[in-house]
């Protein structure tokens, strides 16, 4: 049915990624009416081109490494990873890029869905243009929440457009492994995709402009990931600047400060930009292409009816933090619609205050890097009084049982004045599931004296907590 005309809702949500879905859900549960506007697939980047397919590509490699690290199990692993089955499993996690399941959820949640490209057209108004050119004008009584996400950034490299490079979307949805894959950028997307495609049969080269991979992680973590990539056969080149790209027959040729590098495909993984270039920001006095400037209630400065939630505000480009912001923004919208006071204080139910200093993230390389809060370098930069406590995870009984020769490190950054954790990083096999305990300690600002009473079960890898506390005490 062609969707035309004008409609009014309490809340109009532009973009039905994981963030937009959650804003709409919270406001509807709070008694407001809401419509979601989506130009591509309901569920957004995470479901179809980011978290889910990338982790599905990586999981088999990780399981094999874990099995091969346990004598007795190792002998049972006699074959290699099945590439076709891995890609098929990835395809099932993306529902073969079909969003009907998520559209059904939207309907069941009592949220209206309008498919098409939405643009702001002045205050409280979004005009949606459908694929057939028809238009619908949506007016919001209380709020417009912009949740349009981010896009991969293309660096200004001579000739790049003619090369038809991969961005994360192509890297997570490719139907076969390229013979040689060049990866420009050594952040988490570059490192995860290098891990995945090297294991699935490509010869991968990673080119990183900076001094090391994972520049925002603790250096020990970056070192462990670099060593593992190299051991897997990846050619890691750091301190290399790319200046131009071209196709030579079927080959991609990158001109770099390290000479020419050739491959079959080029993945650009140098960062993300706000997806706001063409959403009508100019009609409300904002700069197209920029991240939306928001306060802790996710309200756009000077525009009380406008919210920017998730990747689009640039605060933390992570699904779980977008969903957290969505819960807080949704609650703020509902409270304001009821005429209630809303504040942006820490711990407020209507403000996102943990997405700065207590944000957790995992890099799903082999080994994994799981971190929350501040690194030692970030604490230094913030001029916070701190001490770094480090312990080899492999020395914990649970870890040595988990894998023969378990290799990993835990790094805790402790505030020496308040005696609370500012940040924690774990690097090693299967450390992702250790992270939430650290997140609770950091977000909850649990005093070190109290952490002694949170006793980890024996013999689990979680006993690393005990060793970190002992090291903190003994180094005093
Ligand atoms: C390769 C990769 C791996 C990642 N892995 C992880 C991970 O493991 N864990 C994690 O937490 N994060 C991960 N991320 C980050 C995560 O994908 C994003 O933080 C998350 O998807 C952001 O959600 P969002 O809803 O804010 O934006 P998006 O998911 O981008 O959703 C925005 C939606 O808005 C729609 N839209 C945009 N413009 C318009 C318009 N004008 N009209 C209508 N609709 C519009 C889009 O089609 C899209 O559906 C990864 C990212 C990448 C690139």
């Amino acid at each position: 049915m062609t969707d035309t005309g004008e409609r009014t809702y309490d809340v109009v949500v532009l973009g039905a990624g994981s963030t937009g879905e959650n804003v709409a859900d919270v406001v509807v549960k709070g008694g407001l009416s809401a419509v979601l506007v989506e130009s591509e697939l309901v569920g957004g980047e995470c479901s179809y081109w980011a978290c889910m397919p990338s982790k599905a590509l990586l999981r088999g490699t990780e399981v094999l490494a874990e099995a091969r690290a346990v004598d007795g199990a190792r002998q049972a692993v006699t074959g290699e990873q099945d590439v076709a089955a891995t890609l098929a499993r990835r395809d099932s996690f993306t529902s073969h890029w079909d969003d009907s399941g998520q559209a059904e959820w939207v309907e069941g949640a009592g949220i209206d869905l309008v498919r098409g490209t939405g643009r702001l057209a002045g205050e409280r108004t979004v005009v949606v243009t459908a694929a057939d050119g028809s238009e619908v004008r949506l007016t919001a009584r209380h709020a417009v929440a912009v949740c349009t996400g981010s896009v991969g950034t293309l660096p200004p490299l001579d000739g790049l457009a003619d090369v038809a490079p991969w961005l994360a979307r192509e890297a997570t949805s490719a139907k076969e492994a390229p013979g040689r894959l060049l990866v420009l950028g050594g952040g988490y997307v570059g490192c995860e995709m290098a891990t995945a495609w090297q294991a699935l049969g490509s010869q991968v080269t990673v080119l990183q402009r900076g001094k090391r991979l994972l520049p925002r992680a603790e250096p020990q973590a970056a070192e462990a990931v670099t060593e593992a990539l190299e051991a897997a056969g990846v050619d890691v080149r750091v301190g290399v600047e790319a200046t131009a790209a071209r196709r030579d027959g079927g080959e991609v040729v990158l001109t770099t400060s390290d000479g020419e590098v050739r491959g079959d495909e080029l993945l650009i993984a140098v960062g993300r930009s706000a997806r706001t270039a063409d959403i009508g920001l100019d009609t409300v006095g904002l700069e197209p292409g920029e991240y939306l400037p928001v306060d802790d209630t996710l309200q756009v400065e000077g525009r009380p009816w406008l919210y920017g939630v998730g990747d689009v505000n640039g605060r933390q480009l992570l699904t779980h933090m977008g969903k957290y912001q969505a819960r807080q923004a949704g609650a703020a919208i509902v409270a304001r619609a009821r005429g209630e006071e809303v504040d942006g204080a820490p711990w407020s139910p209507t403000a996102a205050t943990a997405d700065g200093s207590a944000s957790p993230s995992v890099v799903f390389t082999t080994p994994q890097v799981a971190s929350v809060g501040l690194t030692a370098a970030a604490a230094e930069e913030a001029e916070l009084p701190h001490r770094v406590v480090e312990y080899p995870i492999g020395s914990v009984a649970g870890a040595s049982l988990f894998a023969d020769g378990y290799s990993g490190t835990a790094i805790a950054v402790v505030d020496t004045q308040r005696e609370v954790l500012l940040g924690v990083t774990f690097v090693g096999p299967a450390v992702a599931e250790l992270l939430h305990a650290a997140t609770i300690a950091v977000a909850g600002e649990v005093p070190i004296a109290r952490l002694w009473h949170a006793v980890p079960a024996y013999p689990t890898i979680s006993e690393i907590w005990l060793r970190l506390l002992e090291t903190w005490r003994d180094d005093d």
Side-chain angles (χ1 to χ4, degrees):
M1 191 181 78
T2 309
D3 200 354
T4 52
E6 302 198 4
R7 295 197 236 151
T8 300
Y9 291 87
D10 290 327
V11 182
V12 176
V13 181
L14 184 54
S18 44
T19 304
E21 286 179 328
N22 277 272
V23 173
D25 193 34
V26 171
V27 298
V28 165
K29 286 193 172 123
L32 303 181
S33 64
V35 61
L36 270 167
V37 179
E38 177 53 51
S39 58
E40 296 184 85
L41 298 180
V42 176
E45 223 59 25
C46 176
S47 301
Y48 303 102
W49 298 286
C51 328
M52 295 308 276
S54 61
K55 269 78 250 184
L57 286 175
L58 286 158
R59 179 68 186 137
T61 309
E62 186 176 56
V63 172
L64 277 176
E66 283 181 10
R68 288 189 174 121
V70 177
D71 204 14
R74 177 174 38 248
Q75 289 78 353
V77 183
T78 51
E80 292 304 315
Q81 184 165 356
D82 186 322
V83 177
T86 303
L87 296 179
R89 185 165 185 268
R90 182 271 319 267
D91 294 353
S92 79
F93 271 90
T94 59
S95 308
H96 301 269
W97 292 273
D98 171 356
D99 69 354
S100 46
Q102 301 225 39
E104 249 171 61
W105 172 85
V106 169
E107 195 184 343
I111 304 160
D112 279 2
L113 173 65
V114 173
R115 289 193 183 267
T117 301
R119 287 184 191 86
L120 289 163
E123 193 170 319
R124 293 169 200 277
T125 308
V126 171
V127 172
V128 187
T129 310
D132 65 4
S134 61
E135 280 190 355
V136 58
R137 174 176 286 262
L138 304 170
T139 306
R141 279 186 210 96
H142 295 294
V144 173
V146 175
C147 308
T148 50
S150 63
V151 286
T153 306
L154 286 173
L157 270 190
D158 280 350
L160 188 60
D162 304 331
V163 164
W166 281 8
L167 284 165
R169 280 191 173 200
E170 287 73 27
T172 53
S173 62
K175 300 292 177 206
E176 58 184 26
R180 292 162 305 164
L181 176 63
L182 306 181
V183 179
L184 192 63
Y188 84 89
V189 172
C191 288
E192 286 186 352
M193 290 299 93
T195 303
W197 289 112
Q198 181 74 26
L200 296 174
S202 300
Q203 171 55 57
V204 178
T205 303
V206 179
L207 302 141
Q208 164 74 329
R209 189 166 61 170
K211 286 198 193 98
R212 61 175 169 98
L213 303 183
L214 300 176
R216 286 196 284 171
E218 293 286 8
Q220 300 91 321
E223 205 176 302
V225 170
T226 307
E227 273 172 20
L229 283 171
E230 286 177 338
V234 175
D235 181 0
V236 179
R237 303 188 192 184
V238 293
V240 175
E241 176 96 35
T243 51
R246 65 174 202 278
R247 282 262 175 204
D248 182 5
E251 283 190 314
V252 187
V253 186
L254 259 189
T255 310
T256 77
S257 53
D258 199 24
E260 274 192 358
V261 193
R262 288 171 181 264
D264 298 303
E265 297 293 350
L266 168 65
L267 164 62
I268 302 289
V270 297
R272 312 274 303 168
S273 313
R275 193 167 170 184
T276 57
D278 191 23
I279 59 164
L281 285 189
D282 49 323
T283 71
V284 296
L286 290 163
E287 192 61 38
E290 297 292 318
Y291 285 113
L292 288 177
V294 296
D295 64 17
D296 284 350
T297 69
L298 291 314
Q299 204 174 45
V300 175
E301 287 161 13
R303 290 154 193 85
W305 57 274
L306 186 62
Y307 291 73
V309 196
D311 275 19
V312 78
N313 61 37
R315 284 162 68 113
Q316 281 291 348
L317 277 59
L318 291 163
T319 295
H320 45 277
M321 291 328 264
K323 285 167 39 175
Y324 163 68
Q325 291 176 3
R327 293 191 289 275
Q328 308 309 97
I333 292 168
V334 170
R336 286 183 173 128
R338 290 177 183 156
E340 293 166 11
E341 276 300 305
V342 163
D343 69 60
W347 310 108
S348 163
T350 49
T353 52
D355 53 359
S357 59
S359 179
S361 67
V362 175
V363 185
F364 288 84
T365 41
T366 306
Q368 296 174 340
V369 180
S371 56
V372 60
L374 303 185
T375 57
E380 189 73 44
E381 201 181 308
E383 295 181 3
L384 292 166
H386 67 281
R387 181 146 60 85
V388 178
V389 180
E390 193 172 330
Y391 197 86
I393 305 177
S395 302
V396 173
S400 57
L401 282 164
F402 185 87
D404 301 334
Y406 187 109
S407 172
T409 309
I411 302 146
V413 183
V414 186
D415 184 320
T416 45
Q417 218 157 52
R418 294 186 301 140
E419 300 214 338
V420 295
L421 290 167
L422 294 169
V424 181
T425 296
F426 302 109
V427 54
V431 292
E433 299 301 338
L434 288 181
L435 186 59
H436 196 56
T439 304
I440 292 169
V442 172
E445 300 178 341
V446 182
I448 296 282
R450 279 272 172 96
L451 281 178
W452 283 100
H453 298 273
V455 182
Y458 182 82
T460 63
I461 305 178
S462 290
E463 276 206 313
I464 184 62
W465 283 100
L466 201 48
R467 301 287 103 85
L468 283 171
L469 290 171
E470 287 164 355
T471 310
W472 156 258
R473 179 196 59 201
D474 297 344
D475 285 357
D476 206 8

